[in-house]
Amino acid sequence: MSEKPATTLLFFYGTLMHPHVLYSVICDTSKATHPSTFPHVKAAVPGFIRHPVRNKPYPAMVPSTQHRVHGIVTDTETLSLATGISGSRIVELLDRFEGVQYRRVTVGFEVLEGSGESVDGNDDKAANALFREKLLAGGELHTAAAYEWTAAMDALEVGVDDWSYEEFLRTRLSGYLDDEAETVDPRT
C-alpha cells in the first residue's frame, strides 16, 4: 500500500488568491484551460502586515506584531487533484515564482467566518464549505506556508492603505493576465 503524500496548507494574500493567476504559476497551460476556482477558506494571519509593492500589482507581507493579514488558505492536495501536479512540485513552482524577494515561512492562521463564501464570485461555495469542514476537523491550531517579503523595505509603499484584492480585480487583473500570456512570471 502506498503512502498518501503529505499535504501542505498554503496561505495566499495577494494576486495568487485569483485562480487564473495561481494556475498560471503552477501549470504550463494557457489561461483558457485553467479551472475557474479552487476550494479555499478565508483566513487571517496575525503578526504581519500587507503593503503594496511600489509600482507593482502585488503586495508584500512583513512582520508587524499589531496587525494581521487577511487572505485565503488552500492546500497542495486540492491543487494537485485539480492539476495533476504533485504537491511538492507545486511548492517548488511557488518558490520559483516568489523568487528572492520572498521566502517561504510557516505562519499560524485563524479560519474566518463566512469561509464558504466566494473570493471573486466564481467560487464553488459547496466545495469551499467542504474544505472548511475538513480543515476545522484537524483541530484549533492551524499553520500554513506563506511568503514573507525579504527584499528592501524601501520597495514597499509603507504608510498607504493596505493592498486591496478588490482593487486588483477591478483595475489590474486584466493587464496582469495579459502579461502572463507572454511570460512564465506574470509579475515582471
Side-chain angles (χ1 to χ4, degrees), residues 8-121:
T8 301
L9 292 174
L10 303 164
F11 175 74
F12 298 132
Y13 57 89
T15 59
L16 290 172
M17 292 192 297
H18 194 279
H20 287 310
V21 176
L22 176 60
Y23 287 125
S24 74
V25 171
I26 63 175
C27 299
D28 187 23
T29 59
S30 75
K31 66 183 176 192
T33 62
H34 297 167
S36 63
T37 188
F38 56 89
H40 61 271
V41 295
K42 292 182 181 180
V45 170
F48 288 88
I49 189 169
R50 178 174 52 192
H51 293 294
V53 176
R54 192 175 316 286
N55 300 316
K56 301 291 183 185
Y58 52 87
M61 185 175 82
V62 295
S64 175
T65 57
Q66 298 178 11
H67 294 91
R68 55 195 253 165
V69 173
H70 290 252
I72 62 171
V73 170
T74 191
D75 66 3
T76 54
E77 180 182 18
T78 298
L79 297 175
S80 185
L81 288 171
T83 64
I85 300 169
S86 74
S88 61
R89 180 67 179 146
I90 288 169
V91 172
E92 288 173 17
L93 292 166
L94 290 168
D95 287 349
R96 185 177 73 181
F97 173 74
E98 297 294 359
V100 298
Q101 294 177 312
Y102 297 85
R103 73 172 170 210
R104 182 169 23 103
V105 296
T106 300
V107 296
F109 71 90
E110 169 190 358
V111 176
L112 299 177
E113 290 299 317
S115 288
E117 297 172 3
S118 170
V119 169
D120 65 7

